[in-house]
Amino acid sequence: MLAPLANRTFRHLFAAQVTSLVGTGLTTVALALLAYDLAGGDAGLVLGLMLALKMVIYVALAPVIGAAVARFDRRRMLVVLDIARAAIVLGLPFVTEIWQVYALFLALHLCAAGFTPAFQATVPDVLPDTEEYTRALALSRLAYDIENLASPGLAAVALTVLSYDALFAANAATFCLSALLIVSCRLPRPAAQQARRFRDRATQGLRVFLATPRLRGLFALYFAVSAGGAMAIVNTVVLVRDRLGGGESDVAVLMAVLGGGSMLAALALPRLLEHVSERRVMLTGGALMVGALLAGLAGSGFAVLAAIWAVIGFAGSLIGTPAGRVITRSSDEESRPAVFTAQFALSHACWLVAYPLAGLLGRLDESWIAFAVLAALAAAGTAAAAAFWPSEDRSSLTHDHPEQHHTHEHVHDAHHQHDHEGWEGPEPHSHPHRHGPLRHAHAFVIDDHHPAWPRG
């Protein structure tokens, strides 16, 4: 599990991720306290609107931001976005109006929408070995789950000696430390980006996602993840306090169990994926999610609910952790940042559906209705994934190329074997060229020369 940390670049990137996660967790607590100071009893509404705003930014604007920064040096861009986030967080203690909170929150997550997909796309370039990359994904998942469990406790301890404004300063410090860690390592040079119109850059990842069967399956599975996750995240407090008569400590226990299930799957996955395909692992996660939600129809006590929450966490990690492998296998170096950006937007679109749905259903007197509807959503997502994602999912596919004339930057790979007159310049270079009709086989991804998936 710890083997990827032997790679200095990944070690620094992972440390940057962990420090940013801790700081963000502290800010989540501080924002709740700030909202209460400014809005009083309407603080819950303010926080709910901020979370909805975050989802809208991630869904609607992440591809646009990704296209805007695609041609920048990746290390420099990550550092600039970290410093920008630090500056924004430092401004939060000085706000006096709710609209100012919304404005800074909007700016903060615009930066995150550019940072996170670019960061995710960098890791497979740093760790090209599939097994090492799988362990790195598991480590990242563990870091995320541990942060969810530890941040509330860290914030509580900090608040015994500091004001909540100091939590914002701590978050700014973590972003600065993250920037220093990224500066301290040399990132692989990304592949040259083709000259494209802005609209084409903004939609490139989405086009690859929708044209690749296994990525359509991944998108469908995110509905299963969000259905179970939203049920647990949104309705735990309602189920514990109103239905079971429990206290705040019981709520904390259930959330810890949810994270524990996720961590257990992350620990098991590197070994499991050596023997079992991503498709089988992830569809199993979808089936477990459906089963866990259906188990909630029984309306049993705290112990059964804890078991359900553990399975939801476990199933969500079975789906979410291998996603990076699936995306890496379905993209090339040039398109990978755009595809990770599309995954970022599409996965949050699923949460944008599931969060309000779980909240509305959770208000009903009968909790089984929420479990039933969300189980149906998870089942639909899992069934669609099984249909979209072929069981025989080969990377190398035999396919035909029709004759084609076009101009773009290229090197002399299997698709570019042509004569030159001397003026074209060193590779990679761009000039008009012709592709004759061709039938061959290789690791297939959607790109300029392969705009559609082969039939059969």
Side-chain angles (χ1 to χ4, degrees), residues 154-453:
L154 289 173
V157 172
L159 287 170
T160 61
V161 294
L162 301 170
S163 70
Y164 69 78
D165 286 349
L167 298 185
F168 292 128
N171 188 193
T174 62
F175 284 139
C176 290
L177 178 57
S178 171
L180 288 173
L181 286 165
I182 293 170
V183 166
S184 69
C185 58
R186 178 176 295 177
L187 301 184
R189 187 177 183 86
Q193 297 289 314
Q194 305 291 352
R196 305 178 192 274
R197 294 179 300 173
F198 182 83
R199 184 180 65 183
D200 292 335
R201 295 205 307 273
T203 59
Q204 180 187 17
L206 183 62
R207 285 185 277 112
V208 172
F209 235 91
L210 297 181
T212 305
R214 71 175 74 93
L215 291 182
R216 292 202 299 270
L218 174 61
F219 177 38
L221 282 169
Y222 277 124
F223 279 104
V225 174
S226 62
M231 182 67 203
I233 293 168
V234 174
N235 290 324
T236 296
V237 66
V238 176
L239 291 170
V240 171
R241 300 300 297 271
D242 292 352
R243 310 290 161 78
L244 299 178
E248 293 181 0
S249 61
D250 296 317
V251 174
V253 167
L254 278 187
M255 298 308 291
V257 167
L258 180 73
S262 179
M263 287 189 284
L264 183 63
L267 288 168
L269 275 168
R271 181 68 59 86
L272 182 62
L273 287 169
E274 292 177 9
H275 307 286
V276 184
S277 68
E278 294 109 339
R279 180 183 187 273
R280 181 174 296 181
V281 167
M282 297 169 79
L283 288 177
T284 299
L288 285 174
M289 191 70 79
V290 175
L293 290 167
L294 288 176
L297 299 178
S300 302
F302 183 84
V304 174
L305 198 60
I308 292 171
W309 262 222
V311 175
I312 287 175
F314 188 86
S317 190
L318 285 184
I319 297 170
T321 304
R325 281 175 47 130
V326 178
I327 293 168
T328 301
R329 189 153 60 93
S330 305
S331 59
D332 56 23
E333 286 186 62
E334 193 265 339
S335 66
R336 193 165 296 143
V339 179
F340 269 101
T341 300
Q343 178 259 351
F344 185 76
L346 292 172
S347 62
H348 282 90
C350 297
W351 287 100
L352 191 58
V353 171
Y355 271 143
L357 182 61
L360 290 171
L361 295 171
R363 297 179 62 189
L364 302 177
D365 292 335
E366 299 293 337
S367 61
W368 68 266
I369 299 175
F371 279 108
V373 173
L374 292 168
L377 178 61
T382 303
F388 290 144
W389 194 340
S391 56
E392 188 179 348
D393 183 26
R394 292 177 290 119
S395 294
S396 181
L397 299 175
T398 300
H399 54 282
D400 295 296
H401 288 274
E403 183 177 6
Q404 186 178 17
H405 296 260
H406 64 178
T407 301
H408 66 87
E409 192 171 56
H410 62 276
V411 296
H412 288 175
D413 56 17
H415 295 92
H416 300 91
Q417 297 296 327
H418 47 246
D419 295 328
H420 289 91
E421 298 176 9
W423 56 268
E424 297 86 356
E427 300 178 28
H429 54 203
S430 179
H431 60 82
H433 57 277
R434 169 186 173 273
H435 296 271
L438 176 67
R439 179 176 178 82
H440 64 171
H442 59 77
F444 193 95
V445 298
I446 298 295
D447 58 22
D448 291 339
H449 295 99
H450 310 86
W453 203 258

